[in-house]
Amino acid sequence: MKVWQQPLPPIYNKLSDAELRVRIQLAREALGEKLVILGHHYQQDAVIEFADFTGDSFELSRKAAEQKNAQYVVFCGVHFMAESADILTDERVRVILPDLGAGCSMADMANLDQTIDCWSQLEETCPDQLIVPITYMNSSAAIKSFVGEHRGAVCTSSNCRNVLEWALKGGAAAEGSGFRLQVSAGSSFNLNPEPRTLNPPKVKVLFFPDQHLGRNTAHAMGYPLDSMVVWDPREEFGGNDPQKLRDAHFVLWKGHCSVHQLFRPEHVDQVRQKYPNMKVMVHPECRFEVVEKADLAGSTAYIVKQVEAAPPGAEWAIGTEVHLINRLARQHPEQKIIVLSDCQCLCTTMFRIDLPHLCWALENLVEGKVVNEIKVDEHTRKWALVALDRMLAIKGTGNPIGKQQPVATTVD
Ligand code: SF4
């Protein structure tokens, strides 16, 4: 059941930022070690100021799980991140999202009903193939759980290539439990506990929900664009010809990030014309044509590391969320750092987490009242954890899109 954000008591919107800061600080002190505040890289500075840890969604959830005295995790991010934190932390830890309206447009582009429908259509169309579902971290707990239950795994933008390599070898269906893949007499594969000779079926990866991360990564692995199809959940067979669907190695869910999709190839051209020495670095949620033109691409953690390692005088045009870019520019005045375009590349849903909501959530906790708790049900949690654990067990050295050389010495 969807729960909406209740209006804040009017006082919180009347307080000045200075007053809110004082009250937030007092609430933090009152809660002490029981409280951990997490701030995603894309969060606004006024909120980040109060974060005990900053990072990307997965880093933050793991950090929360390491805090043994924490009873409350206040996640200044978006809904799917708070779900991941609830999945990864102990049962006793209560996870709070200060504004329930802070969702993620990308995660919302794939729901469980659509996924079940897609799965049955793929099984019907490709009965002799092994379909391995992989979901990006930026998806709901329900999708992560579906993937876990269907022998797939989660991936992040840092390890996407390793996870796809694992999936193309058959994913969890091809490993562990003494099971082996077997092609059955009826030409559909099944799992058989008695090992026998087998002809491995063709493997197809179903990738949720970001088509761009899937496409950029698969292409960097050497797969041509025509080995991928896009699955539109509103159309039969995802809008594909059944034969094309059978031939494809990758079925990419028709989802995208509304922030990263704003960057276009002409933005790269414009930067190159104006600043010939500038390196262009983008997130792999950007569309393929942008990543192709960029010098480097990688996760938010990768982008942060490249800037930190670069020498004075380095020049960057970065294609990711504006709060992170502006923060990097302030932290590194010895470098020139600009946003790749002047589009409003702001995560508007994350921006809903502000000082009034943070203050309201914390002051309720001080009074012993948990507001906006994010709780994942037991079944969903169990299988989502399986999908996350599989990701953690996958080894490899591949980078997401093949453009991740260290750049500290390459600045002209
Ligand atoms: S930046 Fe994009 S993917 Fe990240 S939370 Fe915002 S809408 Fe979702």
Short mmCIF file of all heavy atoms in Angstrom, two decimals, residues 195-226:
data_model
loop_
_atom_site.label_atom_id
_atom_site.label_comp_id
_atom_site.label_asym_id
_atom_site.label_seq_id
_atom_site.Cartn_x
_atom_site.Cartn_y
_atom_site.Cartn_z
N PRO A 195 23.67 -34.86 -12.15
CA PRO A 195 24.44 -34.30 -13.25
C PRO A 195 24.45 -35.21 -14.47
O PRO A 195 24.60 -36.41 -14.34
CB PRO A 195 25.85 -34.18 -12.65
CG PRO A 195 25.64 -34.18 -11.18
CD PRO A 195 24.43 -35.03 -10.94
N ARG A 196 24.24 -34.62 -15.64
CA ARG A 196 24.30 -35.38 -16.87
C ARG A 196 24.95 -34.53 -17.95
O ARG A 196 25.15 -33.33 -17.79
CB ARG A 196 22.87 -35.75 -17.31
CG ARG A 196 22.27 -36.80 -16.40
CD ARG A 196 21.23 -37.60 -17.13
NE ARG A 196 19.93 -36.96 -17.07
CZ ARG A 196 18.99 -37.14 -17.99
NH1 ARG A 196 19.22 -37.85 -19.04
NH2 ARG A 196 17.83 -36.57 -17.87
N THR A 197 25.24 -35.13 -19.06
CA THR A 197 25.81 -34.36 -20.16
C THR A 197 24.82 -33.30 -20.58
O THR A 197 23.62 -33.54 -20.58
CB THR A 197 26.07 -35.28 -21.36
OG1 THR A 197 26.69 -36.45 -20.87
CG2 THR A 197 26.94 -34.60 -22.38
N LEU A 198 25.33 -32.16 -20.92
CA LEU A 198 24.37 -31.12 -21.30
C LEU A 198 24.91 -30.24 -22.41
O LEU A 198 26.10 -30.09 -22.60
CB LEU A 198 24.03 -30.26 -20.08
CG LEU A 198 25.20 -29.69 -19.28
CD1 LEU A 198 25.60 -28.33 -19.78
CD2 LEU A 198 24.80 -29.63 -17.83
N ASN A 199 24.01 -29.71 -23.15
CA ASN A 199 24.32 -28.66 -24.11
C ASN A 199 23.76 -27.39 -23.50
O ASN A 199 22.55 -27.24 -23.43
CB ASN A 199 23.62 -28.92 -25.44
CG ASN A 199 24.21 -30.12 -26.12
OD1 ASN A 199 25.41 -30.32 -26.12
ND2 ASN A 199 23.33 -30.95 -26.67
N PRO A 200 24.61 -26.50 -23.01
CA PRO A 200 24.08 -25.31 -22.32
C PRO A 200 23.13 -24.55 -23.24
O PRO A 200 23.43 -24.36 -24.42
CB PRO A 200 25.33 -24.50 -22.00
CG PRO A 200 26.46 -25.43 -22.13
CD PRO A 200 26.07 -26.48 -23.12
N PRO A 201 22.00 -24.13 -22.70
CA PRO A 201 21.07 -23.36 -23.53
C PRO A 201 21.64 -21.96 -23.77
O PRO A 201 22.53 -21.51 -23.05
CB PRO A 201 19.81 -23.29 -22.65
CG PRO A 201 20.32 -23.39 -21.25
CD PRO A 201 21.55 -24.27 -21.31
N LYS A 202 21.10 -21.30 -24.75
CA LYS A 202 21.48 -19.90 -24.97
C LYS A 202 21.04 -19.08 -23.75
O LYS A 202 19.93 -19.27 -23.25
CB LYS A 202 20.79 -19.37 -26.22
CG LYS A 202 20.97 -17.88 -26.41
CD LYS A 202 20.39 -17.39 -27.70
CE LYS A 202 20.46 -15.86 -27.72
NZ LYS A 202 20.28 -15.29 -29.02
N VAL A 203 21.93 -18.22 -23.30
CA VAL A 203 21.60 -17.38 -22.14
C VAL A 203 21.16 -16.00 -22.61
O VAL A 203 21.78 -15.42 -23.51
CB VAL A 203 22.82 -17.25 -21.20
CG1 VAL A 203 22.50 -16.29 -20.05
CG2 VAL A 203 23.22 -18.62 -20.65
N LYS A 204 20.11 -15.53 -21.99
CA LYS A 204 19.61 -14.19 -22.31
C LYS A 204 19.54 -13.41 -21.01
O LYS A 204 19.03 -13.93 -20.01
CB LYS A 204 18.23 -14.32 -22.94
CG LYS A 204 17.68 -13.02 -23.49
CD LYS A 204 16.25 -13.16 -23.96
CE LYS A 204 16.01 -14.09 -25.13
NZ LYS A 204 16.77 -13.76 -26.33
N VAL A 205 20.05 -12.20 -21.01
CA VAL A 205 20.00 -11.36 -19.80
C VAL A 205 18.80 -10.42 -19.90
O VAL A 205 18.64 -9.71 -20.90
CB VAL A 205 21.29 -10.55 -19.62
CG1 VAL A 205 21.17 -9.59 -18.43
CG2 VAL A 205 22.49 -11.48 -19.43
N LEU A 206 17.98 -10.43 -18.86
CA LEU A 206 16.90 -9.45 -18.75
C LEU A 206 17.37 -8.41 -17.75
O LEU A 206 17.59 -8.72 -16.57
CB LEU A 206 15.62 -10.14 -18.26
CG LEU A 206 14.44 -9.23 -17.90
CD1 LEU A 206 14.01 -8.37 -19.08
CD2 LEU A 206 13.27 -10.07 -17.39
N PHE A 207 17.57 -7.19 -18.21
CA PHE A 207 18.22 -6.16 -17.39
C PHE A 207 17.23 -5.07 -16.98
O PHE A 207 16.65 -4.40 -17.83
CB PHE A 207 19.40 -5.55 -18.16
CG PHE A 207 20.27 -4.67 -17.33
CD1 PHE A 207 21.31 -5.20 -16.58
CD2 PHE A 207 20.07 -3.29 -17.27
CE1 PHE A 207 22.12 -4.40 -15.79
CE2 PHE A 207 20.87 -2.48 -16.48
CZ PHE A 207 21.89 -3.03 -15.73
N PHE A 208 17.10 -4.86 -15.67
CA PHE A 208 16.18 -3.83 -15.11
C PHE A 208 17.01 -2.71 -14.49
O PHE A 208 18.08 -2.97 -13.94
CB PHE A 208 15.35 -4.40 -13.96
CG PHE A 208 14.47 -5.54 -14.30
CD1 PHE A 208 14.91 -6.85 -14.08
CD2 PHE A 208 13.20 -5.33 -14.78
CE1 PHE A 208 14.08 -7.91 -14.35
CE2 PHE A 208 12.36 -6.40 -15.04
CZ PHE A 208 12.80 -7.70 -14.83
N PRO A 209 16.41 -1.56 -14.22
CA PRO A 209 15.40 -0.95 -15.06
C PRO A 209 16.03 0.08 -16.01
O PRO A 209 15.31 0.71 -16.74
CB PRO A 209 14.47 -0.26 -14.04
CG PRO A 209 15.38 0.14 -12.92
CD PRO A 209 16.58 -0.79 -12.96
N ASP A 210 17.38 0.21 -15.95
CA ASP A 210 18.02 1.28 -16.72
C ASP A 210 18.59 0.75 -18.04
O ASP A 210 19.66 0.15 -18.07
CB ASP A 210 19.14 1.93 -15.90
CG ASP A 210 19.79 3.09 -16.63
OD1 ASP A 210 19.17 3.60 -17.59
OD2 ASP A 210 20.91 3.47 -16.28
N GLN A 211 17.89 1.04 -19.12
CA GLN A 211 18.37 0.56 -20.43
C GLN A 211 19.76 1.09 -20.74
O GLN A 211 20.57 0.40 -21.38
CB GLN A 211 17.40 0.95 -21.54
CG GLN A 211 17.16 2.42 -21.66
CD GLN A 211 16.38 2.76 -22.92
OE1 GLN A 211 16.81 2.45 -24.03
NE2 GLN A 211 15.23 3.38 -22.75
N HIS A 212 20.08 2.31 -20.28
CA HIS A 212 21.37 2.91 -20.67
C HIS A 212 22.55 2.21 -20.00
O HIS A 212 23.54 1.91 -20.65
CB HIS A 212 21.37 4.40 -20.35
CG HIS A 212 20.28 5.14 -21.07
ND1 HIS A 212 20.20 5.15 -22.44
CD2 HIS A 212 19.22 5.84 -20.61
CE1 HIS A 212 19.13 5.86 -22.81
NE2 HIS A 212 18.52 6.29 -21.71
N LEU A 213 22.43 1.94 -18.72
CA LEU A 213 23.53 1.23 -18.05
C LEU A 213 23.72 -0.15 -18.69
O LEU A 213 24.84 -0.59 -18.94
CB LEU A 213 23.23 1.09 -16.54
CG LEU A 213 24.28 0.31 -15.75
CD1 LEU A 213 25.63 1.01 -15.76
CD2 LEU A 213 23.83 0.06 -14.31
N GLY A 214 22.61 -0.82 -18.98
CA GLY A 214 22.69 -2.14 -19.61
C GLY A 214 23.35 -2.06 -20.98
O GLY A 214 24.26 -2.83 -21.29
N ARG A 215 22.91 -1.11 -21.78
CA ARG A 215 23.44 -0.99 -23.15
C ARG A 215 24.92 -0.58 -23.14
O ARG A 215 25.75 -1.18 -23.83
CB ARG A 215 22.62 0.06 -23.93
CG ARG A 215 23.02 0.18 -25.37
CD ARG A 215 22.15 1.20 -26.10
NE ARG A 215 20.76 0.81 -26.15
CZ ARG A 215 19.76 1.41 -25.50
NH1 ARG A 215 20.02 2.47 -24.75
NH2 ARG A 215 18.53 0.98 -25.57
N ASN A 216 25.26 0.42 -22.34
CA ASN A 216 26.65 0.89 -22.29
C ASN A 216 27.59 -0.21 -21.84
O ASN A 216 28.69 -0.37 -22.36
CB ASN A 216 26.76 2.09 -21.33
CG ASN A 216 26.13 3.34 -21.92
OD1 ASN A 216 26.19 3.57 -23.11
ND2 ASN A 216 25.50 4.15 -21.07
N THR A 217 27.15 -0.98 -20.86
CA THR A 217 28.02 -2.03 -20.32
C THR A 217 28.14 -3.18 -21.31
O THR A 217 29.25 -3.66 -21.58
CB THR A 217 27.47 -2.54 -18.97
OG1 THR A 217 27.19 -1.41 -18.13
CG2 THR A 217 28.47 -3.44 -18.28
N ALA A 218 27.02 -3.62 -21.85
CA ALA A 218 27.06 -4.76 -22.80
C ALA A 218 27.89 -4.39 -24.03
O ALA A 218 28.66 -5.21 -24.54
CB ALA A 218 25.64 -5.15 -23.20
N HIS A 219 27.75 -3.16 -24.49
CA HIS A 219 28.52 -2.74 -25.67
C HIS A 219 30.02 -2.74 -25.36
O HIS A 219 30.84 -3.17 -26.19
CB HIS A 219 28.06 -1.34 -26.12
CG HIS A 219 28.64 -0.94 -27.44
ND1 HIS A 219 29.75 -0.15 -27.56
CD2 HIS A 219 28.28 -1.27 -28.71
CE1 HIS A 219 30.05 0.02 -28.84
NE2 HIS A 219 29.17 -0.65 -29.56
N ALA A 220 30.38 -2.27 -24.17
CA ALA A 220 31.79 -2.28 -23.78
C ALA A 220 32.34 -3.70 -23.67
O ALA A 220 33.53 -3.92 -23.79
CB ALA A 220 31.96 -1.54 -22.45
N MET A 221 31.45 -4.66 -23.45
CA MET A 221 31.87 -6.05 -23.37
C MET A 221 32.02 -6.67 -24.76
O MET A 221 32.37 -7.84 -24.90
CB MET A 221 30.84 -6.86 -22.57
CG MET A 221 30.82 -6.50 -21.09
SD MET A 221 29.32 -7.09 -20.27
CE MET A 221 29.57 -8.86 -20.30
N GLY A 222 31.68 -5.91 -25.79
CA GLY A 222 31.85 -6.40 -27.16
C GLY A 222 30.57 -6.81 -27.84
O GLY A 222 30.59 -7.29 -28.97
N TYR A 223 29.44 -6.63 -27.19
CA TYR A 223 28.16 -7.00 -27.82
C TYR A 223 27.67 -5.85 -28.70
O TYR A 223 27.59 -4.70 -28.24
CB TYR A 223 27.11 -7.32 -26.75
CG TYR A 223 27.36 -8.67 -26.11
CD1 TYR A 223 28.23 -8.79 -25.02
CD2 TYR A 223 26.77 -9.81 -26.62
CE1 TYR A 223 28.50 -10.02 -24.46
CE2 TYR A 223 27.03 -11.05 -26.06
CZ TYR A 223 27.90 -11.15 -24.98
OH TYR A 223 28.17 -12.37 -24.43
N PRO A 224 27.33 -6.14 -29.95
CA PRO A 224 26.83 -5.06 -30.82
C PRO A 224 25.43 -4.62 -30.40
O PRO A 224 24.70 -5.37 -29.73
CB PRO A 224 26.79 -5.73 -32.20
CG PRO A 224 26.73 -7.19 -31.94
CD PRO A 224 27.41 -7.45 -30.62
N LEU A 225 25.09 -3.42 -30.80
CA LEU A 225 23.78 -2.88 -30.40
C LEU A 225 22.63 -3.75 -30.90
O LEU A 225 21.59 -3.84 -30.25
CB LEU A 225 23.62 -1.45 -30.93
CG LEU A 225 24.58 -0.42 -30.32
CD1 LEU A 225 24.30 0.96 -30.90
CD2 LEU A 225 24.47 -0.37 -28.79
N ASP A 226 22.82 -4.43 -32.05
CA ASP A 226 21.70 -5.24 -32.55
C ASP A 226 21.55 -6.57 -31.82
O ASP A 226 20.70 -7.38 -32.16
CB ASP A 226 21.78 -5.42 -34.07
CG ASP A 226 23.01 -6.19 -34.51
OD1 ASP A 226 23.72 -6.72 -33.63
OD2 ASP A 226 23.26 -6.26 -35.73
#
